[in-house]
Amino acid sequence: MNSPVNHICKFASAIIVFLLAIAGASNSFAQDDINRRERRELERIAAEIQTAGQQYTVQDFEASARTIKEANERMVRLTEEADAELIQAAAPLHNQLTQARTMLMEQGADPGEIQALPSPMQDPENTDPDAPVSFVRHVAPIIVAKCGRCHVQGRRGGFSFASFNALDNSTAVTPGNAPQSRLIEVIESGEMPQGGLRIEPAELETLKKWIAAGAEFDGDDPDANLATLGNATPPPEPERMPTPEVQAATGNESVSFGLHVAPILLENCSGCHIDTTNPRGNFSMANFQQLLRGGDSGPPIRPGSAAQSTLFHRLTGANGAEIMPPTGKIADDKIAVVETWINEGAKFDGRAPRTSMQTIAATALAASQSHEDLVAARQELALRNWKMVMTDTPHDEAVTENFYVLGTADPEVLEEIGDIAEDMVSDLKRSLRADEDGPLVKGNIAIFVFQSRYDFSEFGTMIENRPIPRELSSHWGFDTIDAYAVVLMTRNQDPGDIKVRIATAVSSAYAASQGADVPAWFADGAGHWMASRVYPREDEVKEWESQAEIVMNNMENPGDFVTGRIPEHQAALVSYLFVNKLRGSTGSFRRLLGNLREGIPFDDSFAEAFGQTPAEMLGANPPRRRGRN
């Protein structure tokens, strides 16, 4: 699970993105091509978007959604019979409405569908039927020359322009509406083309005119490769440096990738190359393997030579390269760290090169600390999280060998909860065949005890940036830096009344600690399974199996609990049955745990132990793709 710090940063970033989306929404729209009424309406829409952004920043998502809905309705009325000039003037605001809807949906607020802009009304006086744009003679040569390497010869980002039909079936062109076409959008924003190529203004106008006229095909075969049409000339294939192989660190390096380099990348490259589904230049730094592979410009690192590495050029501006990040050059001492790491061979000292960059950095930091140092850091983080949720509400705490318990309950109650958790430690270690010596989890586990449903839910909102389902009375989090269990104990309950929920949350966090990328569904299932071994006679535990079978009978696909298609509390019950079944193959389950502790990614560990991945075993399909609005 993501750390509380990451959740906070992502929430803050979301607000910043929303503010950027409405930046400029107060433009005066002084174009001569639109009349006073149209200009006034555009300014009203811009003002409504700005108001929605302000409502979003104070987390009044429902009000923000209502305002965006009203702005969208005004946009629909304004553009119902609009000409090309008005459509062009309205397009930036329409994009902002679309972005706002996406962000509000992520917060659980629905502003309704954002209706696409209509095709502009054609003005007969402005059309020239004697000089139409030909796809074969005019458009294809531009696409082949400027986009051919990535989208005619290949299909970068999933977009193929190999033929007219391929282009027509993509989402890159909206016939009759150039401003709403993705092809025009990425050219005007400077995102494309890559590799030093440039679309000239006259070429851009040709593409716009062709799209505005309906994006028609005037050749013989719409499936013919564009490079064979007209006078299209494919661009020369540049010499591309082979992708370097991952080289394990020897321990003699002065710079650690996980401890020193990964945090620099996370701080400066997120949004463009990390934590994005559309990385700039198709260059993803989501993990070490993708960092080495690079993007449109090829591998960015030449191990042993920073001077020949594109990544170093981009950080310093060497060889005339555009400095990255776009916000400005990073500090020289941080650039020196990256330079030294590359010159020392760009070695990898993490557990697995395909784990996320966040996990690599978090694991390295935690590994560099002693148990005692991590205990202190985790307690400090727990206190910060408490203050974020409860503001000025005082708390009491209890400290045991493996747990840090804090809440508003009396100290003796918190001590009893700590004792309940400590009594489980030996059973949990035996369940996963862990070393009996040492702590249950390095750095220990924090246990938050809330006495009201509202406060319990606020932890999810403020720390995990998600709503906590009403059906849950406990949940957990683990990401190497942080490890915690959150339990609800109302004022009329005793610690003994909530021992099962304590057991499931603590056990799940413990299961997640077995590897760098243990999925939540497996940790939930293992947590329930371990809790069932600790408290087999509790009525709540006895009901799990029958409840799980009811959920299974209502699932559409066997793997729905893995792919997130059913609610969290239901998925945990089905995972419990699945893990219990896996435990029946004692040797395989033991190999799975051993692989995870050696740092092998979860799916690889599972496949090596059981002969197939969980998705293959269950016949699980990936989550349904959501259509574009």
Side-chain angles (χ1 to χ4, degrees):
M1 284 192 172
N2 291 328
S3 72
V5 175
N6 283 343
H7 283 302
I8 297 166
C9 291
K10 285 183 179 179
F11 181 72
S13 297
I15 292 176
I16 292 171
V17 170
F18 196 100
L19 289 174
L20 289 174
I22 59 102
S26 58
N27 290 340
S28 61
F29 302 98
Q31 295 96 324
D32 293 333
D33 295 323
I34 59 178
N35 62 40
R36 182 180 300 176
R37 183 192 68 81
E38 293 167 342
R39 184 162 54 249
R40 187 167 59 249
E41 281 300 292
L42 289 173
E43 289 173 347
R44 288 173 177 170
I45 294 170
E48 289 179 330
I49 295 175
Q50 194 163 20
T51 298
Q54 294 165 351
Q55 292 165 335
Y56 186 98
T57 60
V58 296
Q59 301 182 45
D60 193 353
F61 303 125
E62 293 299 332
S64 182
R66 287 193 297 271
T67 305
I68 289 296
K69 184 175 182 179
E70 291 168 3
N72 178 53
E73 290 171 350
R74 188 182 294 274
M75 175 72 77
V76 170
R77 291 193 297 270
L78 174 63
T79 60
E80 190 172 8
E81 294 183 356
D83 57 18
E85 287 75 20
L86 179 55
I87 291 293
Q88 185 173 4
L93 290 178
H94 185 271
N95 288 339
Q96 291 161 16
L97 289 171
T98 302
Q99 294 172 25
R101 180 184 187 276
T102 299
M103 296 180 62
L104 287 165
M105 292 291 287
E106 291 175 353
Q107 300 298 337
D110 185 6
E113 297 293 327
I114 304 299
Q115 186 169 321
L117 287 175
S119 299
M121 300 279 290
Q122 295 297 321
D123 182 357
E125 296 180 2
N126 291 333
T127 60
D128 183 3
D130 297 326
V133 175
S134 164
F135 179 81
V136 171
R137 289 183 291 110
H138 304 136
V139 175
I142 297 173
I143 292 176
V144 172
K146 302 301 175 68
C147 313
R149 192 162 55 238
C150 295
H151 301 292
V152 177
Q153 299 172 8
R155 48 180 299 114
R156 288 276 187 181
F159 288 105
S160 171
F161 305 158
S163 67
F164 172 81
N165 275 343
L167 175 62
D168 191 44
N169 290 329
S170 74
T171 58
V173 171
T174 303
N177 195 338
Q180 284 296 104
S181 295
R182 178 65 176 161
L183 177 64
I184 302 302
E185 179 185 337
V186 297
I187 293 173
E188 291 186 328
S189 69
E191 294 178 54
M192 298 294 170
Q194 297 284 330
L197 298 173
R198 181 173 180 267
I199 298 285
E200 299 298 331
E203 293 174 325
L204 178 58
E205 287 307 311
T206 295
L207 295 175
K208 286 182 175 180
K209 187 175 180 181
W210 172 71
I211 294 173
E216 298 292 341
F217 180 67
D218 58 347
D220 296 326
D221 182 5
D223 290 314
N225 190 279
L226 296 196
T228 67
L229 300 179
N231 59 351
T233 303
E237 186 67 28
E239 181 180 354
R240 186 180 177 93
M241 185 181 79
T243 301
E245 294 184 1
V246 177
Q247 297 292 330
T250 63
N252 297 322
E253 295 80 13
S254 63
V255 173
S256 157
F257 178 81
L259 193 59
H260 303 127
V261 178
I264 294 174
L265 300 180
L266 286 167
E267 179 184 358
N268 295 282
C269 307
S270 293
C272 290
H273 303 286
I274 303 172
D275 275 339
T276 175
T277 57
N278 185 28
R280 182 170 180 172
N282 290 302
F283 177 25
S284 172
M285 298 182 185
N287 58 50
F288 187 80
Q289 193 84 56
Q290 290 177 303
L291 169 65
L292 287 188
R293 185 169 65 237
D296 293 338
S297 300
I301 296 168
R302 188 180 289 273
S305 178
Q308 298 181 62
S309 298
T310 306
L311 177 63
F312 182 70
H313 298 167
R314 288 300 183 93
L315 294 177
T316 61
N319 294 349
E322 179 186 2
I323 289 181
M324 291 293 166
T327 52
K329 184 181 175 184
I330 67 175
D332 289 340
D333 58 340
K334 294 182 178 179
I335 293 176
V337 169
V338 178
E339 180 182 16
T340 300
W341 171 70
I342 296 174
N343 286 334
E344 291 183 342
K347 303 292 181 64
F348 180 64
D349 58 351
R351 287 184 172 184
R354 285 187 290 158
T355 53
S356 72
M357 196 66 71
Q358 292 89 341
T359 299
I360 290 171
T363 302
L365 177 60
S368 71
Q369 297 177 299
S370 67
H371 170 66
E372 291 72 22
D373 288 341
L374 191 55
V375 166
R378 197 162 283 165
Q379 289 185 4
E380 182 180 346
L381 179 56
L383 288 173
R384 290 203 303 270
N385 289 342
W386 176 270
K387 290 178 181 178
M388 182 168 294
V389 176
M390 302 296 286
T391 316
D392 297 324
T393 302
H395 73 281
D396 282 302
E397 60 187 42
V399 180
T400 68
E401 184 177 353
N402 288 281
F403 302 97
Y404 174 53
V405 188
L406 65 167
T408 54
D410 294 335
E412 57 270 20
V413 172
L414 299 180
E415 289 176 4
E416 188 174 349
I417 289 174
D419 291 340
I420 289 174
E422 283 292 343
D423 289 343
M424 298 186 297
V425 168
S426 294
D427 287 335
L428 299 185
K429 287 182 176 181
R430 282 194 297 271
S431 295
L432 298 188
R433 298 182 177 273
D435 187 354
E436 286 291 329
D437 298 326
L440 179 67
V441 172
K442 182 180 178 182
N444 289 352
I445 297 176
I447 302 178
F448 295 89
V449 182
F450 292 104
Q451 293 186 293
S452 78
R453 167 66 64 174
Y454 177 82
D455 294 336
F456 175 78
S457 299
E458 275 294 282
F459 189 95
T461 301
M462 299 300 295
I463 305 303
E464 299 180 350
N465 196 22
R466 70 178 183 118
I468 300 299
R470 186 78 184 175
E471 294 81 4
L472 291 184
S473 296
S474 68
H475 57 99
W476 58 275
F478 181 84
D479 67 355
T480 306
I481 292 297
D482 203 5
Y484 59 80
V486 186
V487 295
L488 173 65
M489 185 186 74
T490 57
R491 299 185 186 278
N492 62 345
Q493 289 181 313
D494 295 322
D497 298 331
I498 65 166
K499 59 186 179 183
V500 173
R501 66 184 67 164
I502 296 172
T504 53
V506 167
S507 300
S508 296
Y510 172 54
S513 74
Q514 300 304 299
D517 67 338
V518 174
W521 68 263
F522 180 83
D524 274 330
H528 278 69
W529 173 74
M530 285 185 276
S532 73
R533 291 171 62 90
V534 175
Y535 298 116
R537 294 184 178 85
E538 293 296 316
D539 291 339
E540 182 178 350
V541 172
K542 291 178 180 179
E543 294 174 359
W544 284 349
E545 187 166 340
S546 59
Q547 292 172 347
E549 289 176 353
I550 293 173
V551 175
M552 288 176 61
N553 291 334
N554 290 322
M555 287 195 312
E556 186 176 330
N557 296 299
D560 282 354
F561 72 98
V562 172
T563 55
R565 287 193 175 99
I566 60 175
E568 180 180 342
H569 67 286
Q570 295 181 355
L573 291 172
V574 181
S575 297
Y576 158 64
L577 289 187
F578 185 55
V579 171
N580 201 15
K581 179 181 178 181
L582 296 177
R583 273 294 289 128
S585 302
T586 306
S588 297
F589 195 77
R590 191 180 305 172
R591 283 199 303 276
L592 168 62
L593 296 174
N595 291 341
L596 291 173
R597 290 165 184 158
E598 288 178 10
I600 300 173
F602 181 84
D603 277 357
D604 293 342
S605 296
F606 195 100
E608 191 282 328
F610 291 97
Q612 52 188 334
T613 66
E616 291 168 342
M617 181 178 290
L618 295 163
N621 299 313
R624 294 179 182 85
R625 184 178 178 182
R626 294 179 180 176
R628 294 182 63 185
N629 297 313

